[in-house]
Amino acid sequence: MPTVLIIDDEQDMRNLIELMLSKSDFQTIAVESGAEAYPFIERKEVDIVLLDVMMPKEDGFTVCEKIRKISSVPIIFLTARDDNEDKVKGLTIGGDDYIVKPFTSSELIARIQAVLRRTGVNKQQFLERGVIKLDEASRKVYVNNQKVTLTLKEFDLLQLFMKNPNTVFSREQLLEKIWEMDYDGGTRTVDTHIKTLRLKLGKISKEASDYIQTVWGIGYRFDQV
């Protein structure tokens, strides 16, 4: 099911929304500010955002504008004010819908489902290379149709490799792209993550494990042989 990111500074409201969505099997991530939300959006871990308008520090409109600079993820505004000007502003700056508090569980779920249908988020986005299938939307990986559980960085590594087959990446490049770190002489973490990724893929298929090849003296590449 889609993952919903809830951004609301009120703990009780976050808890209530999570309870509402859990009954329809949505996955949820709840945060109290835009600052906490941006990393989840940048990593493409969420399918839709529920964004409160009235928040301290950064209000919902400001957060929406910042999100739109990094992502096209659907955004539904939540507000206690039934003000037409606010609705127009929210939709103009990039919002996809607007819900006035208080709202019922059925209304919230219907609005979310409508926006997901309209934006096409529910359509699965698969990368397939040989026996490996990677679902970018849900961040799930399958080998011979069997699910493989990967950590965040293992998934990011595999996704990068599968999007760039036969491209050699140095350890320094992988540190920069996946860990967003400048090379400081320590590349052991790259080797460790590659090793565990190969082991997890290899438990189901040695062929899948062999796709990730070591280029001696340089780094790694994904070579579907």
Side-chain angles (χ1 to χ4, degrees):
M1 292 297 293
T3 299
V4 181
L5 175 61
I6 305 160
I7 310 175
D8 196 305
D9 62 304
E10 296 182 9
Q11 178 71 56
D12 290 343
M13 180 56 67
R14 295 198 301 272
N15 292 342
L16 175 61
I17 294 173
E18 285 195 290
L19 179 61
M20 288 179 173
L21 297 182
S22 67
K23 295 178 180 179
S24 294
D25 295 325
F26 284 100
Q27 299 181 58
T28 58
I29 299 171
V31 298
E32 64 179 356
S33 68
E36 292 182 44
Y38 302 137
F40 292 105
I41 295 168
E42 289 177 331
R43 294 194 297 263
K44 300 181 180 179
E45 295 181 15
V46 300
D47 299 298
I48 190 167
V49 175
L50 299 181
L51 176 57
D52 184 36
V53 172
M54 302 300 294
M55 296 189 296
K57 297 182 180 179
E58 291 183 327
D59 65 18
F61 297 135
T62 301
V63 173
C64 178
E65 290 174 330
K66 289 188 176 182
I67 290 174
R68 281 291 167 260
K69 292 179 180 179
I70 60 174
S71 174
S72 59
V73 64
I75 298 173
I76 298 178
F77 283 106
L78 307 177
T79 182
R81 300 194 308 182
D82 189 8
D83 188 317
N84 191 58
E85 289 187 7
D86 278 356
K87 292 181 182 180
V88 171
K89 180 177 180 179
L91 297 174
T92 300
I93 64 174
D96 295 274
D97 203 352
Y98 209 101
I99 304 178
V100 178
K101 302 175 183 179
F103 44 78
T104 64
S105 175
S106 58
E107 178 187 9
L108 177 62
I109 291 167
R111 293 289 190 96
I112 291 173
Q113 291 174 337
V115 170
L116 290 175
R117 284 195 302 271
R118 189 166 67 246
T119 57
V121 170
N122 272 340
K123 295 179 181 178
Q124 292 180 313
Q125 302 175 32
F126 287 116
L127 284 174
E128 293 189 58
R129 298 281 185 268
V131 299
I132 302 177
K133 179 185 289 186
L134 184 148
D135 183 345
E136 294 189 280
S138 66
R139 295 182 65 84
K140 294 178 181 177
V141 173
Y142 303 88
V143 174
N144 286 333
N145 294 319
Q146 296 183 52
K147 184 179 177 182
V148 182
T149 301
L150 302 180
T151 65
L152 173 65
K153 296 304 184 186
E154 289 166 358
F155 180 93
D156 290 344
L157 278 168
L158 183 60
Q159 183 180 44
L160 177 65
F161 285 139
M162 291 180 67
K163 283 187 171 182
N164 300 276
N166 301 313
T167 300
V168 178
F169 290 99
S170 69
R171 293 170 175 82
E172 294 79 10
Q173 288 175 317
L174 293 174
L175 272 178
E176 181 181 350
K177 291 178 180 294
I178 304 300
W179 281 267
E180 298 182 351
M181 295 168 49
D182 292 330
Y183 175 59
D184 61 359
T187 57
R188 183 182 297 270
T189 187
V190 174
D191 295 333
T192 299
H193 279 76
I194 294 291
K195 179 180 179 180
T196 56
L197 175 57
R198 281 172 168 163
L199 287 172
K200 290 180 178 181
L201 297 175
K203 285 183 179 180
I204 299 176
S205 168
K206 184 178 184 299
E207 179 183 355
S209 176
D210 289 344
Y211 291 162
I212 302 175
Q213 298 187 352
T214 300
V215 181
W216 297 108
I218 302 177
Y220 300 94
R221 72 179 174 195
F222 187 94
D223 188 0
Q224 179 195 333
V225 294

